[in-house]
């Protein structure tokens, strides 16, 4: 008899076992998580009856295989990881590389022998973060700052939608939770789902997650109109013989690349319920400017696009942004006005308009994007009425999830919480003091240092990461704070809980993370983290411009992107882990 079945039988026979353990051991947690309870921002009670999960469309790639009854490695970085095949410089081709082993971390509690045989699975889910689905032709993008920051423009970003769909396909193919074999209950995105707060990008994101056909193109429906056919050496010109800066580093010429990049693709949608957390790129133009100026909204849908800027001027502009000196984008606006004569004409498009927080909520609540549920993907009518983007939800019978909105509406790419949200978080934790809690946000504790006031709540103070850490530390039921933003794998102990930060899916190594919560039944809890890549093959073929071929090329281009940081994958202790902590 398998290990999981043995646990279930023992749990059913015992009279003293609590309901949480019984539900988890028998797999019933998947029902509790799958229905999709959402709790109101102002209350710890359920906002409404559980939303029914729509019947999934019968698509073969959306049907998950049966969950195994034992741990497994296939399809995860425990089996293999994309790595360069040869060479130490120039453009490097990828192939199958060595696996990343699992590391046991005892920073917060000593692991006890025999726990593998004793443990009970409580919950398992997948974290997506920093998908950055990019409208690469958007007029407000500042690619011309590439010399100052690698995040301004990436050679791979025209393929972000194909890459994200391939990640969905990977999750659909997983056989359950890798460490325990228990069912996966949901997927949570931890922000920067879009790149430039554009309606076009929001539609692509929602269809990627819930299923649908996507044409990742705006402007002229017949052709691409962005920096990659500009003839400028600053950018990789894939369809051109021009010896641009990237080709001088070994980047290939790929005939038909741009035509393929804007061609329709199809997402099967996740076969799991999914929840959404908001990030700064979802809320702010450019990911850093306070919304509200009509100039930016008008420019976004207009017919002019700046594609180059003198390097010294660009460096000064970016330095000011990094230091938080232009949260409302006044300097950025003046640059665009002064450079009007040098801009390229592009096809205007209303779909590039910025979306408001209310529109973000309405889009999530739209039945067209429900997919496997829950309706709203965590957000409720109560969120829409109050225009708040934080909520709590039921992960399992005795496990609560809390999703925070750490974006600062006052501008800048770092985050913080307003007083109202911080007080709501404290009330929610107190109301669920006897439960386990997993907290989700976009920003990490170290990147919540931005205290610009919200223009709509000028009298409300903002609170940084240190205050949030202190609050979470006072509630022993908090097990983990799961986030993104830094585009880097980093796992940090905080006295009684773990902070789990995961790399992005736009910069290499393009990862998502499976997180499993287990009770070791010996006074300790373990959190297993397992990193996964997209379903695209590691090896590429420049002649293969199919949807799958583009997803593979997306990864390889990201590995070769100039300015890429080799530290983003983290150390072994930041990747595949068992994180042990004391039971509250």
């Amino acid at each position: 008899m398998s290990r999981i079945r043995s646990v279930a039988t023992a749990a059913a026979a015992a009279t003293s076992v609590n309901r949480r353990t019984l539900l988890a051991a028998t797999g019933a947690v998947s029902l509790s998580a799958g229905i999709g309870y959402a709790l109101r921002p102002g209350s710890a009670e359920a906002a409404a009856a559980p939303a029914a999960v729509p019947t999934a469309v019968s698509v073969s790639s959306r049907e998950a295989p049966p969950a195994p009854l034992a741990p497994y490695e296939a399809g995860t970085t425990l089996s293999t990881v994309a790595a360069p095949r040869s060479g130490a410089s120039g453009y490097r081709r990828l192939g199958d590389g060595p696996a990343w082993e699992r590391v046991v971390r005892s920073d917060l509690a000593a692991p006890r022998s025999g726990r593998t045989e004793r443990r009970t699975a409580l919950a398992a889910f997948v974290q997506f973060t920093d998908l950055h689905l990019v409208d690469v032709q958007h007029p407000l993008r500042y690619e011309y700052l590439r010399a100052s920051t690698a995040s301004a423009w990436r050679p791979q970003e025209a393929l972000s939608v194909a890459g994200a769909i391939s990640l969905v396909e990977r999750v659909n193919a997983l056989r359950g939770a890798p460490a325990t074999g228990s069912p996966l209950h949901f997927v949570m995105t931890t922000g920067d789902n879009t790149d430039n707060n554009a309606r076009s990008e929001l539609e692509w994101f929602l269809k990627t997650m819930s299923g649908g056909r996507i044409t990742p193109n705006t402007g002229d429906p017949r052709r691409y109109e962005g920096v990659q056919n500009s003839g400028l050496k600053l950018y990789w010109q894939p369809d051109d013989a021009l010896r641009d800066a990237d080709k001088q580093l070994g980047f290939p010429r790929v005939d038909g690349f741009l035509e393929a990049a804007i061609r329709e693709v199809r997402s099967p949608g996740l076969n799991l319920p999914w929840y959404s957390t908001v990030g700064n790129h979802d809320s702010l133009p450019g990911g850093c400017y306070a919304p509200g100026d009509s100039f930016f909204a008008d420019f976004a849908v207009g017919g002019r696009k700046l594609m180059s800027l003198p390097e010294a001027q660009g460096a000064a502009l970016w330095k000011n942004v990094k230091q938080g000196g232009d949260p409302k984008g006044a300097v950025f606006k003046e640059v665009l006005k002064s450079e009007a004569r040098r801009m390229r004409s592009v096809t205007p498009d209303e779909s590039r308009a910025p979306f408001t927080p209310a529109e973000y909520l309405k889009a999530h609540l739209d039945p067209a994007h429900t997919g496997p549920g829950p309706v709203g993907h965590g957000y409720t009518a109560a969120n829409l009425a109050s225009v708040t983007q934080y909520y709590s939800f039921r992960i399992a019978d005795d496990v609560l999830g809390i999703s925070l909105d750490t974006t600062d509406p006052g501008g800048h790419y770092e985050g913080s919480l307003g007083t109202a949200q911080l007080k709501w978080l404290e009330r929610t934790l107190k109301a669920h003091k006897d439960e386990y809690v997993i907290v989700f946000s976009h920003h990490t504790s170290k990147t919540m240092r931005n205290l610009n006031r919200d223009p709509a709540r000028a009298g409300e103070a903002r609170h940084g990461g240190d205050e949030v850490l202190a609050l979470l530390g006072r509630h022993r039921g908090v097990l983990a704070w799961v986030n993104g933003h830094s585009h880097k794998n980093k796992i940090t102990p905080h006295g009684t809980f773990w902070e789990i930060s995961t790399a992005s899916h736009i910069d290499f190594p393009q990862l998502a993370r499976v997180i499993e919560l287990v009770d070791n039944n010996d006074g300790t809890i373990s959190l297993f983290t397992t990193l996964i890549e997209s379903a695209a093959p590691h090896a590429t073929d420049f002649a293969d411009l199919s949807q799958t071929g583009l997803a593979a090329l997306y990864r390889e281009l990201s590995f070769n992107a100039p300015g890429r940081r080799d530290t983003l994958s983290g150390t072994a202790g930041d990747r595949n882990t068992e994180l042990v902590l004391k039971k509250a």
Side-chain angles (χ1 to χ4, degrees), residues 170-413:
R170 166 62 71 206
V171 171
N172 288 351
L174 290 176
R175 299 171 57 209
T180 62
S182 67
L184 292 169
H185 303 136
F186 65 95
V187 174
M188 168 62 85
T189 74
T190 51
D192 282 5
N193 309 306
T194 65
D195 187 70
N196 202 59
N197 178 230
R199 292 175 187 170
S200 53
E201 297 169 342
L202 180 57
E203 180 185 2
W204 302 346
F205 163 67
L206 293 167
K207 287 185 176 180
T208 294
M209 299 292 283
S210 288
R213 297 183 180 276
I214 305 164
T215 302
N217 181 37
T218 56
D220 191 329
R222 301 162 298 176
R223 66 189 182 94
Y224 168 91
E225 299 178 304
V227 298
Q228 286 192 269
N229 68 354
S230 63
L232 295 170
K233 289 187 176 182
L234 180 61
Y235 313 104
W236 179 47
Q237 308 290 306
D239 292 87
D240 198 301
L242 178 72
R243 289 283 294 168
D244 57 63
D246 294 280
K247 289 202 188 81
Q248 291 175 33
L249 297 175
F251 269 66
R253 177 175 178 177
V254 182
D255 291 326
F257 177 92
L258 293 177
E259 181 182 355
I262 62 174
R263 193 169 56 216
E264 182 184 86
V265 290
R266 183 176 183 275
S267 174
L270 287 161
N271 59 14
L272 296 172
W274 64 271
Y275 293 83
S276 187
T277 294
V278 68
N280 55 294
H281 277 265
D282 301 314
S283 299
L284 309 177
C288 59
Y289 297 122
D293 193 318
S294 62
F295 173 86
F296 290 134
D298 293 341
F299 197 88
V301 302
R304 307 290 289 174
K305 180 173 172 61
L306 181 63
M307 297 193 178
S308 65
L309 194 67
E311 187 171 331
Q313 187 178 357
L317 177 62
W318 183 246
K319 181 180 180 181
N320 193 27
V321 169
K322 285 183 67 177
Q323 295 175 343
D326 191 26
K328 295 184 179 180
V331 176
F332 182 47
K333 181 167 76 172
E334 290 307 311
V335 167
L336 292 177
K337 287 182 175 180
S338 66
E339 297 292 327
R341 291 184 179 180
R342 296 200 308 110
M343 292 182 183
R344 179 181 179 180
S345 294
V346 297
T347 304
D349 193 333
E350 290 293 326
S351 75
R352 292 170 174 157
F355 53 84
T356 66
E359 289 170 336
Y360 186 77
L361 294 167
K362 287 178 182 178
H364 280 76
L365 288 160
D366 187 338
H369 301 308
T370 297
V375 173
H377 305 291
Y379 301 117
T380 67
N383 286 114
L384 186 57
S386 59
V387 195
T388 54
Q389 294 174 291
Y390 50 90
Y391 60 90
S392 59
F393 67 105
R394 180 60 54 198
I395 290 178
D397 183 61
D398 217 8
V399 184
L400 185 75
I402 296 177
S403 173
L404 301 177
D405 173 10
T406 55
T407 296
D408 192 326
H412 194 44
Y413 55 76

